[in-house]
Amino acid sequence: LPLPRPPATGQPTPQLAHVTVADWQATIPFYDRATLPIGFSTTGPCVIEEPTATTFVPDGWTVTVDERGCLVLTRTT
């Protein structure tokens, strides 16, 4: 069964949400995974939502959509 391909172009529009975890509070972007095009990249903190998974990208990390549509997380600090 082939995996769905991400959009080739476009700029996803995140939904901003206020998040509180323990003593940490922030307003962070939530992205719909299906709208992230190949080559999209952003830094954390952010959340990427899809029907079967949720990916949290913490501060100090970058997430990029590679040429196959995979999320690649890289530590930046």
Side-chain angles (χ1 to χ4, degrees), residues 38-59:
I38 293 171
F40 173 80
S41 185
T42 192
T43 57
C46 69
V47 173
I48 299 172
E49 299 178 303
E50 52 189 309
T52 60
T54 301
T55 303
F56 175 70
V57 181
D59 189 31

Side-chain angles (χ1 to χ4, degrees), residues 23-46:
D23 292 334
W24 181 73
Q25 294 186 22
T27 299
I28 62 173
F30 280 64
Y31 291 94
D32 177 0
R33 174 76 171 88
T35 68
L36 302 182
I38 293 171
F40 173 80
S41 185
T42 192
T43 57
C46 69

